[in-house]
């Protein structure tokens, strides 16, 4: 037993006072003589015995009364089991990612978690609330009520490591209690193992009852016809036993097409044919799973001709004119001697076709061209200088040419998953007629190959650049060295390399992806582009590059939808933004990752546990009650004991 005011116990020395009073309380009696005192003597003896008993009882009750009163003022208590952590600070981490839209036993997981916090958090409790996007430091439930009630689902995925880093950075002299409320979708074991707090956090795992979900993953142009686009839509089904769902395609708010989809496999592709004109709309489905991935917004810009130029000998570049036809491309070929350098900045794609040497002036111009979003294709010659090529490629990445080998090699492998071949092949072809090269350079590249030889060495690879594409061949493809010009692969490969993907394909950006976007507009130095949607608007980071403007969006916008880029009051480009689909699979929950931590079903359980383990047992009230009882007993003795 412990005392809050132990110094008051010194007053127990006062107990000697009633004892002294009792011992030295003397009464003097006068003697009276009577003729017959036999009966009076007997009465006197009887009265003195009763008086002694009464006084001793009164002494005992008064001593006990005074003792209880003194101990009560000293405030005795039994120390709590976990009293050393009683001053810990509370941090509540609430996952508000889109997977929390799933329905549990009592409704949507996030809404239920918010309701439990509002109902079961003590009004006197101080805590900090951290979500995927918002932080409320040192608040209480009354102050946080409005923020919790207005909490929206976040496009930012739940990253436990990032949130715990914020908690660690919040300096405090006290230890930390952390409560993590999440559905654990996508929660990696590595993130959990990296938690190095002295006190392991509590996990409240919200479980979804309905884990079936259908997601629209992507939209792309499957085929370009004379007057129409055939667009393909990829869907994924997560779970088991799906019912047919309806899909609708809208341009603006106008219904274009509608269909019913039956899921006989986990992956599904649906095709629609739309007019070959500008499109600014969305495709949507209706299912019983998550709602955030049921709509995919996309735009298709008005068809523009792509400017392509090849630099090299005309007799070796004739095949390009058959691919880059006047209907879709502005194609020109120049030899190195007749090249007008000023025309290069107006191109979308530049092809260096079998140049023996890349002049320094051209290298400088091409470096600036790539930095402004231009696509570059490099096809070496057997006579190319390896050192010259490597010096030039060193400006863009880590690809390096090695010695030329004259051995014949077959091109046998297609990387169907490479973005360059997106929407090109209906099925993965394995039995095509393999083209070959008679001489090729050994190419050292850390980037994934687009086409590979039979020995797994790259024939075509692309330097990963968020701004532009730098495509590199390891061999020349003239008719003397290779039969690649007769291969069916050459048309889709060069067609996709020549395209400016942002202008001729589907525009469907992912929020938070931070991929730059180039708008073809000529701005003055003081002009600013603004992105506007139906409900909100924002000004992205922008950089003027000659006749283009490079836009960087960071984490904007907050809401998926169709947007437009405005130069003052004039719309110059349509954009579409979508949420990342990383949380669509509700089955990617591994509760074993939190098996080493404390878990609870509800927040009230945690608060009750902490209160029980960290609250001292106050017993001073019992001593007050005992003091009152002894006071009542003293009064009863005085009144009733004779």
């Amino acid at each position: 037993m412990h005392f809050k005011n132990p110094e008051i116990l010194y007053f127990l020395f006062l107990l000697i006072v009633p004892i002294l009073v009792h011992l030295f309380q003397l009464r003097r009696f006068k003697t009276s003589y009577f003729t017959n005192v036999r009966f009076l003597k007997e009465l006197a003896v009887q009265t003195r015995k009763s008086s002694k008993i009464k006084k001793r009882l009164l002494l005992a009750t008064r001593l006990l009364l005074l003792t209880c009163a003194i101990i009560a003022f000293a405030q005795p208590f039994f120390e709590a089991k976990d009293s050393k952590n009683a001053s810990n600070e509370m941090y509540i981490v609430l996952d508000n990612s889109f997977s929390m839209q799933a329905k549990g036993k009592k409704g949507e997981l996030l809404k239920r978690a918010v309701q439990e916090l509002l109902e079961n958090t003590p009004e006197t409790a101080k805590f900090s609330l951290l979500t995927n996007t918002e932080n409320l430091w040192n608040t209480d439930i009354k102050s946080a009520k409005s923020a919790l009630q207005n909490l929206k689902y976040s496009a930012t995925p739940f990253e436990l490591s990032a949130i715990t880093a914020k908690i660690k950075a919040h300096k405090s002299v006290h230890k930390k209690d952390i409560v993590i409320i999440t559905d654990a979708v996508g929660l990696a074991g590595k993130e959990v193992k990296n938690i190095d707090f002295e006190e392991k956090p509590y996990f409240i795992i919200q479980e979804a009852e309905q884990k079936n979900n259908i997601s629209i993953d992507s939209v792309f142009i499957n085929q370009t016809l004379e007057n129409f686009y055939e667009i393909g839509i990829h869907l994924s089904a997560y779970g088991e036993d799906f019912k047919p769902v309806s899909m609708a395609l809208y341009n603006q708010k106008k219904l274009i097409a509608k269909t019913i989809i039956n899921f006989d496999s986990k992956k599904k592709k649906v095709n629609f044919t739309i007019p070959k004109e500008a499109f600014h709309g969305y495709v949507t489905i209706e299912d019983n799973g998550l709602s955030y991935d049921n709509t995919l917004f996309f735009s298709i810009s008005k068809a523009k001709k792509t400017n392509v130029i090849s630099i090299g000998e005309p007799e070796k570049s004739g095949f390009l004119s058959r691919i880059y036809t006047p209907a879709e491309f502005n194609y020109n070929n120049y030899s190195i001697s007749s090249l007008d350098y000023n025309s290069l900045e107006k191109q979308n794609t530049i092809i260096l076709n079998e140049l023996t040497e890349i002049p320094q002036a051209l290298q400088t111009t091409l470096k600036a061209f790539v930095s402004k979003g231009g696509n570059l294709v490099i096809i070496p010659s057997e006579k190319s200088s390896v050192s010259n090529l490597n010096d030039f490629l060193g400006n863009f990445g880590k690809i390096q040419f090695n010695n030329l080998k004259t051995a014949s090699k077959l091109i046998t492998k297609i990387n169907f998953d490479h973005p360059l071949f997106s929407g090109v092949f209906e099925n993965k072809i394995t039995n095509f007629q393999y083209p070959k090269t008679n001489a090729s350079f050994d190419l050292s590249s850390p980037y994934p190959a687009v086409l590979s030889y039979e020995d797994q060495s790259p024939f075509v690879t692309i330097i990963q650049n968020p701004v532009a594409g730098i495509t590199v061949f390891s061999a020349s493809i003239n008719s003397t060295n290779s039969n690649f010009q007769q291969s069916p692969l050459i048309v889709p490969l060069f067609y996709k390399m020549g395209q400016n993907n942002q202008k001729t394909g589907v525009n469907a950006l992912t929020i938070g992806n931070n991929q730059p976007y180039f708008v073809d507009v000529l701005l003055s130095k003081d002009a600013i582009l603004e992105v506007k949607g139906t409900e909100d608007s924002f000004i992205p980071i922008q950089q003027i590059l000659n006749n283009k403007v490079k836009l960087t969006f960071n984490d904007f916008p907050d809401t998926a939808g169709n947007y437009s880029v405005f130069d003052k009051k004039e719309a110059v480009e349509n954009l579409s933004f979508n949420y990342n689909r990383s949380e669509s699979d509700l089955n990617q929950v591994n509760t074993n990752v939190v098996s080493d931590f404390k878990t609870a079903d509800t927040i009230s359980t945690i608060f009750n546990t902490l209160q029980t383990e960290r609250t001292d047992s106050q017993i001073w009230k019992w001593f007050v009650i005992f003091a009152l009882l002894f006071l009542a007993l003293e009064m009863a003795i005085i009144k009733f004991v004779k």
Side-chain angles (χ1 to χ4, degrees), residues 91 93 158 160 164 178-182 195 201-205:
Y91 293 83
V93 178
F158 181 65
L160 182 58
T164 52
I178 303 170
V179 179
I180 300 171
I181 306 174
T182 179
I195 298 176
Y202 287 89
F203 277 90
I204 300 178
I205 304 300

Side-chain angles (χ1 to χ4, degrees), residues 4 47-48 54 57 70 78 100 153 170 200 263 279 285 308 326 371-372 416 456 560 563 574 585 609:
K4 286 188 177 180
T47 303
R48 284 185 180 180
K54 181 176 181 179
L57 288 174
I70 292 171
F78 289 112
M100 293 285 282
Y153 294 101
H170 194 253
K200 293 183 178 181
F263 281 89
F279 187 94
I285 60 172
V308 179
S371 68
K372 296 175 182 178
F416 294 98
Q456 305 303 315
Y563 292 77
N574 288 330
D585 186 3
T609 301

Side-chain angles (χ1 to χ4, degrees), residues 73-109:
F73 279 106
Q75 296 190 33
F77 65 91
F78 289 112
E79 190 175 30
K81 177 182 177 182
D82 193 23
S83 59
K84 63 180 181 179
N85 292 318
S87 59
N88 284 13
E89 292 181 345
M90 172 72 75
Y91 293 83
I92 299 176
V93 178
L94 179 58
D95 179 4
N96 64 324
S97 55
F98 283 115
S99 61
M100 293 285 282
Q101 285 181 342
K103 294 179 176 60
K105 295 180 179 179
K106 299 180 181 180
E108 290 186 20
L109 300 182

Side-chain angles (χ1 to χ4, degrees), residues 7-40:
E7 65 276 5
I8 293 180
L9 295 178
Y10 287 112
F11 286 96
L12 289 175
F13 288 110
L14 295 176
L15 293 177
I16 199 171
V17 174
I19 296 174
L20 292 174
V21 171
H22 175 76
L23 292 177
F24 296 102
Q25 184 182 17
L26 301 175
R27 289 187 181 180
R28 295 181 179 180
F29 299 95
K30 292 181 179 181
T31 304
S32 299
Y33 295 97
F34 293 89
T35 57
N36 191 348
V37 296
R38 181 171 58 91
F39 296 106
L40 291 176

